[in-house]
Amino acid sequence: MPSDPYENHDAALPEPVREHLGKQLRTTYNAEAGKPDYLGDPVLPAEFTPQLRRLESRLKAHDTGREAVEDVVNNILRELPPRS
């Protein structure tokens, strides 16, 4: 329970305030962002690079594992006797 009875921690900001803050954040982010290397290149802060590399490696490992399991299942299904 909040120490101040008039303070509501669950209250959302009004829509105009959220829109204003969002606009300010986007403006600041775009002003500090670097120029893209090519058309369509998403410009992301350098701080995101390690997280993106980890995500890319996890996705690659997931795809490799899925393909390996798929190959094994297909091989097992091929070796089964046909249904009569």
Side-chain angles (χ1 to χ4, degrees):
M1 178 169 205
S3 58
D4 183 355
Y6 299 105
E7 190 174 342
N8 183 354
H9 294 284
D10 296 328
L13 293 172
E15 184 69 25
V17 174
R18 289 194 314 251
E19 288 177 9
H20 174 72
L21 292 174
K23 184 177 180 180
Q24 284 185 326
L25 285 171
R26 286 188 295 277
T27 300
T28 301
Y29 175 77
N30 289 334
E32 294 177 0
K35 299 296 178 202
D37 292 333
Y38 55 89
L39 185 62
D41 179 25
V43 180
L44 296 173
E47 300 87 44
F48 291 167
T49 301
Q51 290 87 352
L52 290 173
R53 298 265 187 261
R54 283 198 306 272
L55 179 60
E56 287 172 349
S57 67
R58 286 180 183 171
L59 290 173
K60 184 176 180 181
H62 175 79
D63 288 342
T64 302
R66 182 188 47 77
E67 290 170 0
V69 169
E70 188 176 289
D71 290 343
V72 169
V73 169
N74 286 335
N75 288 339
I76 290 172
L77 291 176
R78 273 191 231 110
E79 293 175 7
L80 289 176
R83 289 185 174 185
S84 39

